[in-house]
Amino acid sequence: LTLMDYPSDKGGNIIIYWDKDEALKDFLYEIYISTNQTNWKKAKEAKENELLPTNIKLPFWLWNYKRKINAVSIDLLKIFGVNEDEFFKQYPKEIKVWAKLNLVSENQIYESQLIEGKAISNWFRFDRINNLILVIIVSIAFFIAVSHAKKKGLFIRRIAGLDAIEEAVGRATEMGKPVMYIPGIGTMANISTIASMFILGEVSKKIAQYDTILKVPHYDPIVFTVAKETVKQSYLEAERPDSYREDINVFITHDQFAYAAAVDGMMTREKPAACFYMGYFMAESLLLAEVGNSVGAIQIAGTDIDHQLPFFVTACDYTLIGEELYAAGAYLSREPMLVSVLKVQDLGKFIFIISTVLFTIILAILSKTSNDLFVKKILDIFMVR
């Protein structure tokens, strides 16, 4: 009978195991735990077929599933009925534990010797070493991509909607009409809104270069503040700070349909030559895009809300679908850091797709050959803990 610390935990678990014996397979096993050799608590009661080593939820590099043993993991907090804060306040580093095993049959009870061990608070989660290796691989790939992007540049496939931005701004300049950029009804907590701010920065640079009028109506006051600084910085980078106006960004209201009505009114009165819808949109998407279409504007939209995409595809000239919105900042700026992040994401997706297909086939074959332990090892490698 052996008592060991549960590897890579906070310190509140132990593992007890002992050799299998075919002569004892019909016995009932009772495991008792104590911290002082007097106050014994029954931790587990089970038959041999319930004490398989595969029941221990540890990866193969910390636990040998092939050993012919009976094994059980025990949560000391549950056994002694204490909460986590009290337990670790009383035992911050380790706790000494005694254990014994009773074998019970219809007529007899056999009691094992007492064993002792420690539940230790571990410093490092070795069960997550696979995740650490993955992070290292991704980090190396990222720095290689950054280096390559700075030296030679990286290829990004053509996105028609983003290529049309210059055409849309040029058309507005020729017609002497404004460009309207609508960032949607999202907050700065939405990824699509953050991506929209990147795009707004690049669109603002082109508008500053062409000296065109820009209007950005806002639903959220925080987004309004961020957009104001983004546009101001873009005008500075375009070396046209004198063209920047405080009324470019306008806060409308924090009510969804009141916002949509106000923006529709602006479109009807000012008749913009180009409309950009980039960010988080809900039911107001078609209300905005229909009015923009009716005034004859070139319309470029992008959102990651999939059930709003059909409305944009129908009413707009170009639509960025899903992750194209996230890639837009890197596509327009060609900033090596942003392009590198994009490429590393693509590499991750490629590895994930290949791994999924490959290991699905391997696991399907192995499941038919009853090689369960090998299947478990493969799953351990790719498990996120």
Side-chain angles (χ1 to χ4, degrees):
L1 189 63
T2 305
L3 188 155
M4 63 175 280
D5 174 51
Y6 194 97
S8 301
D9 74 331
K10 292 175 71 174
N13 296 276
I14 57 171
I15 294 175
I16 296 174
Y17 63 92
W18 61 95
D19 294 334
K20 276 184 177 291
D21 189 335
E22 289 298 320
L24 304 175
K25 65 180 181 180
D26 296 325
F27 279 78
L28 181 68
Y29 293 87
E30 295 179 343
I31 300 166
Y32 290 86
I33 299 293
S34 174
T35 55
N36 53 20
Q37 300 187 58
T38 55
N39 184 22
W40 293 94
K41 297 277 189 180
K42 185 189 283 188
K44 184 78 174 179
E45 182 179 281
K47 289 284 190 179
E48 187 178 71
N49 59 3
E50 299 174 296
L51 300 168
L52 301 173
T54 50
N55 292 339
I56 307 295
K57 304 301 181 184
L58 284 170
F60 68 88
W61 54 88
L62 293 178
W63 181 251
N64 185 358
Y65 299 111
K66 292 183 178 180
R67 295 171 64 185
K68 292 184 178 181
I69 58 172
N70 296 316
V72 61
S73 64
I74 294 172
D75 185 343
L76 299 177
L77 280 74
K78 288 183 179 179
I79 299 303
F80 295 109
V82 294
N83 65 46
E84 193 173 274
D85 292 336
E86 289 177 7
F87 184 86
F88 291 113
K89 189 175 182 180
Q90 188 174 358
Y91 307 105
K93 294 182 179 179
E94 60 182 46
I95 175 175
K96 187 173 282 189
V97 183
W98 284 266
K100 64 181 179 180
L101 177 66
N102 287 356
L103 281 72
V104 182
S105 68
E106 292 181 0
N107 303 317
Q108 296 170 307
I109 297 177
Y110 298 97
E111 189 173 302
S112 74
Q113 81 279 16
L114 295 185
I115 57 166
E116 69 173 271
K118 293 179 181 178
I120 301 169
S121 181
N122 296 279
W123 283 89
F124 191 80
R125 292 290 301 266
F126 285 99
D127 57 334
R128 295 180 177 177
I129 199 76
N130 58 329
N131 301 342
L132 176 62
I133 292 170
L134 178 62
V135 169
I136 291 170
I137 291 171
V138 170
S139 301
I140 292 170
F142 173 74
F143 287 115
I144 291 172
V146 169
S147 176
H148 190 71
K150 287 181 176 178
K151 290 177 181 176
K152 299 180 181 178
L154 294 170
F155 171 76
I156 303 177
R157 71 170 177 83
R158 183 176 174 273
I159 301 175
L162 298 177
D163 288 342
I165 288 175
E166 192 155 352
E167 176 194 342
V169 174
R171 181 172 182 264
T173 306
E174 289 175 359
M175 297 176 70
K177 291 183 176 181
V179 173
M180 190 165 285
Y181 188 100
I182 301 164
I185 62 168
T187 66
M188 288 310 299
N190 297 107
I191 298 173
S192 53
T193 305
I194 296 170
S196 178
M197 293 299 102
F198 274 105
I199 300 169
L200 175 60
E202 297 302 319
V203 170
S204 299
K205 285 180 190 176
K206 293 188 183 297
I207 288 172
Q209 291 165 1
Y210 284 96
D211 200 18
T212 309
I213 300 168
L214 174 64
K215 295 284 184 182
V216 189
H218 290 281
Y219 166 88
D220 184 82
I222 304 300
V223 177
F224 164 72
T225 306
V226 173
K228 194 173 181 180
E229 294 303 315
T230 301
V231 173
K232 187 182 289 186
Q233 181 63 31
S234 296
Y235 272 73
L236 284 172
E237 291 177 11
E239 298 179 353
R240 298 296 301 272
D242 53 313
S243 297
Y244 175 76
R245 303 183 320 279
E246 289 294 330
D247 64 346
I248 288 175
N249 288 275
V250 182
F251 175 70
I252 304 294
T253 178
H254 200 62
D255 182 273
Q256 180 183 7
F257 291 107
Y259 172 74
V263 174
D264 285 344
M266 291 174 65
M267 287 183 188
T268 305
R269 290 189 300 272
E270 300 187 21
K271 293 185 170 44
C275 292
F276 296 90
Y277 311 97
M278 300 288 179
Y280 183 93
F281 291 88
M282 292 300 286
E284 75 289 343
S285 62
L286 189 58
L287 298 175
L288 298 169
E290 274 189 325
V291 174
N293 186 58
S294 69
V295 300
I298 290 181
Q299 298 197 105
I300 302 172
T303 185
D304 57 357
I305 308 300
D306 53 359
H307 54 272
Q308 297 303 316
L309 284 171
F311 305 126
F312 279 141
V313 170
T314 302
C316 297
D317 299 285
Y318 302 95
T319 304
L320 306 182
I321 298 174
E323 289 193 352
E324 289 182 344
L325 178 68
Y326 308 149
Y331 186 93
L332 292 170
S333 66
R334 300 291 169 168
E335 175 67 32
M337 192 67 72
L338 295 176
V339 174
S340 302
V341 170
L342 200 62
K343 283 299 177 182
V344 173
Q345 289 174 0
D346 289 343
L347 175 64
K349 292 172 197 168
F350 178 75
I351 293 171
F352 178 78
I353 292 168
I354 295 299
S355 301
T356 301
V357 173
L358 182 62
F359 285 105
T360 298
I361 295 169
I362 292 172
L363 292 174
I365 294 170
L366 292 175
S367 64
K368 292 297 183 182
T369 58
S370 300
N371 199 337
D372 294 337
L373 287 178
F374 191 71
V375 171
K376 190 165 179 56
K377 287 181 179 180
I378 292 176
L379 294 175
D380 281 343
I381 293 171
F382 291 94
M383 185 175 290
V384 178
R385 292 177 175 82

